[in-house]
Amino acid sequence: MDLFKTMAGYGYGEVHVRRDEASGLSAIIAIHDTRLGPSLGGCRFIHYADEGAAFTDALRLARGMSYKAAITGLDLGGGKSVLIRPKGEFDRARLFEDFGRFIDNLGGRYITAEDSGTATADMDVIRTKTKFVTGVSKEKGGSGDPSPYTALGVRRGIEASVKFKLGRASLDGVHVTVQGVGHVGYYLCKELHALGARLTVCDMDATRTARCADEFKATVVAADSILDVEADVFAPCALGAGINDETIPRLKVKIVAGAANNVLAEPRHGDALRGKGIAYAPDYAINAGGLCNVAQEVQGYDEGKVRERVVKIYDTIYTVLERAEREGVSPHVVADRMAEERLAQR
Ligand code: NAD
């Protein structure tokens, strides 16, 4: 891989790597932008086909964190770490201790959190070697699971989208289809049900959908038919790239607003949604509630302050949709512009 050329392509100046034979650690820390504050972003611990794929993932994800923090009004930069998962046996605690020392050596320019393949328990191990870690368990003074706050932010984003697109100030009777009722999807259903929304859900895991049917009177459909359900809002809360050439023609909704990261397979799919008259709440703007939660750990955790910040996602999404209409472009383009404008102020 042509590393410096790839870094230039993502607008980078700084990437750190560390390898340790004894623990099996192969770590990349990508720091995209620190103009607004120290970089914060999760630690991904998965298998990669090759090192190039791991670097590209770190660069792409850290850049996304810069945009997410900027549009949310947080004084944080964008960073992300990727640990290439060892193929054979390894000592997990030793590996994360070693990673903690690596983070500590950067003196606070990068602060970590959970991401795919890591959990609160790993953050607790990292915490034994550095203070530059969030997503630590509540018992250890951290904020625990961020997904209820991600869900709260998504609910606020849905409210803003419904107000903008349908002219309705309440979610009472609004029909929302939720794809994936795992961590965020479950809490989102709870939020929406409390406000009188009608729910249709799907998941690959039947116990998860059954829980939503029991607790929130949700209608359950097969995973491959959720896109065919006529509703007001589609909330993707499973995997990325769910909005693509195959799925867009099937959508029978007015709004797409959910937690899934990188939900547009390509930026042009944001334009395709606009072409169909569907309002799209950009992923990194609507799903920033979890980031608000871990960010508060940096300043000393205060649940009230987190809620105060997360409910403002309503204003962000409403502004994005309004400005997109005024400027005659798609909402994902406006979100990027708003993030870049804030970054350029520093
Ligand atoms: P999760 O793994 O707990 O839940 C995802 C659920 O989607 C699972 O129940 C899974 O069975 C289901 N699923 C997978 N493929 C599916 C399919 N094709 N159709 C229907 N269901 C399917 O993950 P999560 O933490 O709830 O995150 C969901 C999404 O939100 C991800 O894209 C994640 O990156 C994003 N996100 C999460 C957070 C957070 O706080 N957890 C924050 C920001 C963004």
Side-chain angles (χ1 to χ4, degrees), residues 160-175:
S161 307
V162 163
K163 173 77 179 137
F164 178 83
K165 185 74 186 172
L166 309 178
R168 290 167 71 168
S170 143
L171 293 185
D172 196 23
V174 169
H175 184 191

Side-chain angles (χ1 to χ4, degrees), residues 50-238:
D50 55 54
E51 289 171 14
F55 270 102
T56 307
D57 210 21
L59 295 174
R60 187 178 59 82
L61 293 165
R63 184 176 180 277
M65 293 308 295
S66 296
Y67 280 67
K68 189 183 284 208
I71 201 165
T72 309
L74 295 165
D75 291 330
L76 288 171
K80 203 90 180 184
S81 52
V82 160
L83 310 190
I84 301 174
R85 202 178 178 101
K87 290 211 170 70
E89 295 267 300
F90 63 93
D91 179 339
R92 193 169 179 116
R94 189 169 176 187
L95 189 141
F96 280 97
E97 279 169 9
D98 209 20
F99 181 53
R101 285 187 204 99
F102 179 26
I103 294 171
D104 205 56
N105 286 342
L106 298 178
R109 291 179 59 66
Y110 170 68
I111 303 165
T112 200
E114 292 98 339
D115 195 71
S116 310
T118 55
T120 308
D122 301 314
M123 300 306 119
D124 288 354
V125 173
I126 294 171
R127 185 70 185 84
T128 63
K129 301 297 168 197
T130 183
K131 61 180 181 188
F132 304 120
V133 52
T134 60
V136 170
S137 65
K138 286 194 168 159
E139 305 80 70
K140 298 259 163 44
S143 63
D145 178 13
S147 44
Y149 291 100
T150 304
L152 171 61
V154 174
R155 185 261 281 176
R156 293 292 288 156
I158 290 175
E159 285 179 298
S161 307
V162 163
K163 173 77 179 137
F164 178 83
K165 185 74 186 172
L166 309 178
R168 290 167 71 168
S170 143
L171 293 185
D172 196 23
V174 169
H175 184 191
V176 184
T177 54
V178 183
Q179 181 184 46
V181 284
H183 284 90
V184 182
Y186 167 78
Y187 287 113
L188 176 63
C189 288
K190 190 173 190 169
E191 292 275 343
L192 297 172
H193 176 68
L195 295 175
R198 190 154 66 84
L199 299 169
T200 300
V201 302
C202 75
D203 201 291
M204 315 303 271
D205 182 338
T207 58
R208 294 186 173 175
T209 48
R211 185 155 82 133
C212 292
D214 276 0
E215 295 183 26
F216 315 127
K217 301 190 184 74
T219 302
V220 177
V221 296
D224 58 7
S225 62
I226 192 102
L227 292 163
D228 305 315
V229 178
E230 201 172 329
D232 298 302
V233 183
F234 171 56
C237 296

